[in-house]
Amino acid sequence: MPRPPKWRRVGFIPEVTFFKPAGIPLAHLEEIRLSVEEAEAIRLKDLEGLEQEECAQKMLISRPTFHRVLGSARKKLADALLNGKAIRIEGGNFEMAIRRYKCGDDGEEWDVPFEKIVTGLPQVCPSCDNPNVYPVHAPGFGCAGRRGRRRMGGGL
Ligand SMILES: [Zn+2]
């Protein structure tokens, strides 16, 4: 039996997902793949300056797991910077911290926090109580499953 994927919570999905060194043709470039949760680890720890404990809590993972994800992310970034490789951010198992839902009936849109989604309660439209609702996805990101869990190519 394959292990079920571990879902990590991320607070954002980067808009720019590809970086390349200037002056090197794409065909000659090696590419580093950073998963979305690795990008999130870097964002929380290095950009926002949070303690590892806080970062782990925000992503709903253990501190050792966060440490491992962060270490992997930093190593990849260093490799890309120092060895002139391109960076592509994609893949991994993640949930957005906030999920936007839309009502199939009256088109009402609202945000549902991750904590509510993981309780598995059925979502209903806040304006008409209709259960005919579906998650609205960020542009450019695929999605599978009724609750909108995303599993993108590559993995961790
Ligand atoms: Zn509605």
Side-chain angles (χ1 to χ4, degrees), residues 102-108 110 124-130 132-133:
K102 187 166 182 170
C103 174
D105 212 32
D106 59 8
E108 174 87 4
W110 68 100
V124 296
C125 173
S127 97
C128 68
D129 261 353
N130 194 321
N132 178 26
V133 302

Side-chain angles (χ1 to χ4, degrees), residues 33 69 79 84 109 121 145 150:
R33 287 178 182 243
V69 172
D79 183 24
E109 284 190 28
L121 294 172
R150 299 160 201 217

Side-chain angles (χ1 to χ4, degrees), residues 80-122:
L81 276 180
L82 300 175
N83 296 321
K85 298 178 182 178
I87 302 168
R88 185 182 297 282
I89 301 177
E90 66 176 17
N93 301 314
F94 63 92
E95 285 270 13
M96 285 295 289
I98 298 284
R99 168 70 35 78
R100 175 156 278 259
Y101 274 77
K102 187 166 182 170
C103 174
D105 212 32
D106 59 8
E108 174 87 4
E109 284 190 28
W110 68 100
D111 293 324
V112 182
F114 182 81
E115 287 79 2
K116 262 184 97 171
I117 293 169
V118 293
T119 62
L121 294 172

Side-chain angles (χ1 to χ4, degrees), residues 55-71:
C55 300
Q57 279 170 10
K58 278 186 181 290
M59 292 179 72
L60 302 182
I61 56 182
S62 70
R63 196 180 148 161
T65 301
F66 179 81
H67 186 76
R68 190 171 52 76
V69 172
L70 181 68

Side-chain angles (χ1 to χ4, degrees), residues 24-31 84:
I24 304 177
L26 268 180
H28 295 260
L29 266 183
E30 266 193 79
E31 193 176 291

